[in-house]
Amino acid sequence: MKVVLFCGGFGMRLREYSESIPKPMVTIGYRPILWHVMKYYAHYGHKDFILCLGWKANVIKDYFLNYDECVSNDFVLSGGGKNISLLNSDIHDWNITFVDTGVSACIGERLKAVQPHLEGEKTFLANYTDGLASVDLPRLINFHDQSDSVATFVSVRPSQTFHKVSIDEAGGVQCIQEISKTDTWMNGGFFVFSNQFFDYLDEGEELVDQPFQRLIAEGKLRSMRHEGFWGCMDTYKEKQMLEDMYDRGDIPWAVWDKSTQRVQDADHPVTSNAQFAAKPLPR
């Protein structure tokens, strides 16, 4: 099953990095967040990637063209440094298609641009490249397959520390509470699409806006709630939080790493979104 990843945005809220590199290339630990997302899918056997490039596409291309396996893998050095024997590998069996989908294109336009590369695919996966999660991917795919939906996505609880306010017509406050503690859910990405989705996506449209409304009207859009970890690297603060988690060895999104694996099902979430938002920034 192919995986479409949207890598072309400007990342304006991460200007500390995005003026020199695209947001998917901002690092968490040794590797860019794009690598963490791809590694997640590869762990579940989905290693055929289509990267929708845009802003500073050359940076992403150069990274993989000059990929250094030794950075995140064990190896044996011999012959006075002349010979390197990798003990394990990251991307030797990955297939990556690089497609320039335009600097200013919206997500829907980027997906439309790679449609020819999805010929013959009954179902495909897609995701943004700024979110990490402990989503049970086989469960998500099965959730989609068992329904009559054309598109399925993961819903997560908001991680922001904002408050939800209910007010009456006169401006009187009826209720105020932390939004993460309300029954509010938001789009967390991690999409599963039937190829039929392209029938609902017209030229120039955003992914979620018009196509999803058409699917809702026909009862063909579903969402699986995810109570476990989900963290988005949308701002510098969130980048620092993810980096801090990585430094502590608290990496619930690293489903491929048995040494850090924890129970990730909905009944036993290890790191919730609320915990992610509440952790203080490192000094």
Side-chain angles (χ1 to χ4, degrees):
M1 196 177 295
K2 293 187 177 182
V3 183
V4 177
L5 297 176
F6 306 114
C7 311
F10 287 100
M12 295 301 290
R13 280 170 285 191
L14 267 174
R15 292 185 71 91
E16 296 86 350
Y17 298 94
S18 60
E19 290 186 356
S20 58
I21 62 172
K23 184 162 70 166
M25 296 306 294
V26 176
T27 57
I28 303 295
Y30 293 117
R31 297 293 192 189
I33 191 169
L34 172 60
W35 177 90
H36 289 264
V37 175
M38 296 173 76
K39 187 77 170 177
Y40 163 86
Y41 283 103
H43 169 75
Y44 290 110
H46 306 288
K47 303 176 182 181
D48 197 342
F49 300 98
I50 301 173
L51 304 187
C52 300
L53 306 177
W55 172 247
K56 292 195 175 292
N58 62 298
V59 177
I60 297 176
K61 291 178 180 179
D62 287 345
Y63 176 77
F64 285 103
L65 285 171
N66 300 287
Y67 190 82
D68 186 356
E69 290 275 21
C70 297
V71 171
S72 53
N73 289 295
D74 297 335
F75 61 92
V76 176
L77 190 69
S78 61
K82 296 178 181 178
N83 303 316
I84 298 176
S85 299
L86 286 167
L87 299 181
N88 49 311
S89 175
D90 293 326
I91 70 170
H92 69 282
D93 57 350
W94 294 7
N95 186 69
I96 309 173
T97 302
F98 299 82
V99 183
D100 193 336
T101 57
V103 174
S104 58
C106 67
I107 298 293
E109 290 173 316
R110 296 190 191 285
L111 181 58
K112 194 75 173 177
V114 301
Q115 183 177 359
H117 299 280
L118 294 164
E119 289 273 340
E121 293 289 310
K122 180 181 178 182
T123 307
F124 63 93
L125 307 173
N127 210 340
Y128 309 118
T129 49
D130 60 0
L132 302 173
S134 59
V135 173
D136 184 337
L137 186 59
R139 178 170 168 252
L140 174 63
I141 295 171
N142 184 64
F143 183 83
H144 174 84
D145 289 343
Q146 295 302 312
S147 71
D148 189 35
S149 63
V150 171
T152 301
F153 65 96
V154 164
S155 284
V156 298
R157 294 191 182 277
S159 58
Q160 295 88 347
T161 53
F162 299 122
H163 288 81
K164 180 180 179 181
V165 181
S166 298
I167 56 176
D168 59 28
E169 291 294 325
V173 177
Q174 299 175 320
C175 177
I176 180 169
Q177 64 182 131
E178 236 177 81
I179 195 167
S180 60
K181 296 179 181 178
T182 67
D183 190 31
T184 301
W185 296 83
M186 57 181 261
N187 171 19
F190 292 83
F191 302 98
V192 184
F193 290 113
S194 299
N195 202 280
Q196 186 185 355
F197 180 75
F198 288 107
D199 296 336
Y200 294 81
L201 177 63
D202 292 335
E203 293 291 339
E205 291 185 339
E206 183 53 90
L207 179 70
V208 170
D209 295 346
Q210 300 93 338
F212 276 24
Q213 292 302 320
R214 296 182 187 114
L215 291 173
I216 290 171
E218 295 185 16
K220 293 185 179 296
L221 180 67
R222 297 193 78 198
S223 183
M224 186 184 83
R225 295 183 180 186
H226 173 63
E227 294 274 10
F229 174 79
W230 180 88
C232 181
M233 192 185 68
D234 199 36
T235 65
Y236 180 76
K237 177 181 178 181
E238 290 163 341
K239 191 271 184 196
Q240 287 297 103
M241 288 180 175
L242 288 169
E243 189 74 43
D244 187 40
M245 290 177 66
Y246 183 91
D247 290 343
R248 294 197 308 269
D250 180 17
I251 46 177
W253 65 85
V255 293
W256 60 87
D257 190 340
K258 293 181 180 178
S259 66
T260 60
Q261 197 149 5
R262 295 168 169 83
V263 178
Q264 299 298 341
D265 60 51
D267 295 325
H268 303 88
V270 174
T271 309
S272 71
N273 301 331
Q275 289 172 312
F276 172 72
K279 287 176 180 173
L281 282 171
R283 292 186 181 273

